[in-house]
Every structure is written in structure tokens, then in C-alpha cells.
Amino acid sequence: FQISTKEPLNPIKQDVKKGKLRFVANVFPHKGYIWNYGAIPQTWEDPGHKDENTGCCGDNDPIDVCEIGSKVCSRGEVIKVKVLGTLALIDEGETDWKVIAINVEDPEADSYNDIEDVRRLKPGYLEATVDWFRRYKVPDGKPENQFAFNGDFKGKDFALDVIKGTHEHWKALITKKTDGGGINCTNLTVSDSPFCCSQDCAKATVEAAPPCKAASPIPPEVDKWFYYQKN
């Protein structure tokens, strides 16, 4: 599921590739996602801005978050998290930050304050995260993803600076100081944004959407495992 940035009010919808619903591949030994996968609102990785750390421009999306707590979150759930660090994925030549965080309501949240706490308390988890992101697109016929910093994680302070920077890019986008191309910036809450709309306008947008139909059956290939030799 993705935030549909090109549609009014940016609804969350299942991604479609080549006319088919997209499911994440199971690349052994990983079954689906290994964390709660989400995004930080009011951030934007500007495709016109070359990141000084990675040397690559942004991927035109909000920053992604890997929440490592014990609770499996519901789709679309909004939670407050504690930022612990970040991984700099280079996805097809674009900067795609992956922030590592933990739900502040997790029973073990007090034990996690920086990326080294993850390494200490969840041995092998960070390495598995790098492996997951490196290989998850290979079943689609794409090459392995690359990373800045040789795949090393940066800590909390670095991650917070990245978030602050992408928040500034978002502010420029939402106030029309930066051209967002096909991104739909219609919103309800940013009063100084030229894209701000009324409650009535937003309600009309939602009501104009076609009604939901019965869910398509999940194809059996969703459970297929992929195996290949690591490079």
C-alpha cells in the first residue's frame, strides 16, 4: 500500500504495477515485511535536490519509516514514534531514506534511544533490514539496491537532521515555492498554502470517489518464495 501522492487528499491505496495489484515478494528468509512499514507525514524527498550525503536526488515521496516495536499495526494507523536512526537506500539512483523508529507506546520503548540500542537488543535485525532492502526488487527483474555509507546506519541525531531537511522541502512544496510536478498538494490544515481547501471541498472529493467493490481474491503467487545467491 502506498500514499497516492498524485490524487486529491493523497489517499492510501494498494500499489498497481503493469495493471496488477502489487504485493511484496518473499525473498528467503524474509516473509513479507519485517517491521511496520510506513511514512512520516509532512516530509518530501525533493527529486530536484541532490542530497549532500548520498550524492543522489530524492525519490519524490515522503520519508519511509521502519517501526520495530512488538505490535503489528493496522493499515493506515497513525502512531507516535521515537526516532532511532536511518539507512540511506539508493533505489534506482534516487535517495530513499529509511528511518528506524519505535512506537513510543511499545513496552520496550524506554530501552531504545539510538541505533546502537537496536544492534544490542535485537542482534541481526539491522543486518536483516539491509538484506531485505538490498534484494526485495530482484524478483521483479531489477538489480540489487545500493546504499550510501556502505550500508551502515546513521544514528538518531543524523536521522532527525534528515527529517528536518525533508520537512523544509515539504513546506516549500505545499506553499508552492517548489514545483512538485504531478504531486497533488490539496490539503485541509495548512492555512497559508495556496492548495488549502475547505471541509466542504474535501468532503465532496471523498464522496466523488467511486464506491469500494468486493476485494479481489489474493493470488496464490503471493505466498511464493524466491531464492537466489547473494552477490
Side-chain angles (χ1 to χ4, degrees), residues 22 56-57 59 88-96 98 133 136-137 142-143 145-147:
R22 180 184 171 210
C56 298
C57 293
D59 72 345
L89 175 67
I90 307 300
D91 187 349
E92 299 183 41
E94 297 175 331
T95 301
D96 189 4
K98 307 298 181 183
F133 280 117
Y136 81 106
K137 288 190 175 181
K142 296 181 178 180
N145 282 321
Q146 304 299 312
F147 303 89

Side-chain angles (χ1 to χ4, degrees), residues 9 199-212:
L9 304 179
Q199 288 281 352
D200 288 341
C201 173
K203 182 180 179 181
T205 298
V206 173
E207 291 178 345
C212 290

Side-chain angles (χ1 to χ4, degrees), residues 4 22 37 84 88 137 160 206 222:
S4 300
R22 180 184 171 210
Y37 196 41
L84 304 173
K137 288 190 175 181
L160 289 173
V206 173
V222 167

Side-chain angles (χ1 to χ4, degrees), residues 66-228:
C66 302
E67 193 280 317
I68 65 169
S70 56
K71 174 189 174 184
V72 177
C73 294
S74 301
R75 186 180 304 120
E77 186 173 351
V78 178
I79 63 172
K80 184 177 180 180
V81 299
K82 182 191 293 188
V83 172
L84 304 173
T86 189
L87 176 69
L89 175 67
I90 307 300
D91 187 349
E92 299 183 41
E94 297 175 331
T95 301
D96 189 4
W97 293 102
K98 307 298 181 183
V99 171
I100 308 299
I102 189 166
N103 189 336
V104 296
E105 295 182 358
D106 190 90
E108 298 181 352
D110 289 345
S111 299
Y112 291 86
N113 295 293
D114 212 322
I115 199 68
E116 289 307 313
D117 294 323
V118 183
R119 195 179 304 280
R120 175 174 55 88
L121 296 169
K122 292 181 180 284
Y125 198 33
L126 295 181
E127 291 79 3
T129 294
V130 172
D131 184 63
W132 196 100
F133 280 117
R134 186 186 303 280
R135 303 194 292 148
Y136 81 106
K137 288 190 175 181
V138 172
D140 297 330
K142 296 181 178 180
E144 290 186 351
N145 282 321
Q146 304 299 312
F147 303 89
F149 314 116
N150 295 316
D152 291 335
F153 288 80
K154 294 294 183 179
K156 173 184 176 179
D157 291 341
F158 188 101
L160 289 173
D161 284 340
V162 169
I163 294 168
K164 290 174 183 176
T166 55
H167 177 59
E168 292 301 317
H169 293 153
W170 172 83
K171 286 199 292 187
L173 171 69
I174 206 74
T175 55
K176 214 172 182 177
K177 294 176 181 176
T178 298
D179 182 9
I183 293 181
N184 192 305
C185 297
T186 302
N187 69 88
L188 279 164
T189 58
V190 187
S191 58
D192 60 343
S193 167
F195 305 104
C196 190
C197 72
S198 66
Q199 288 281 352
D200 288 341
C201 173
K203 182 180 179 181
T205 298
V206 173
E207 291 178 345
C212 290
K213 297 180 180 179
S216 298
I218 297 176
E221 57 265 28
V222 167
D223 292 321
K224 180 180 178 180
W225 285 96
F226 292 88
Y227 303 82
Y228 78 97

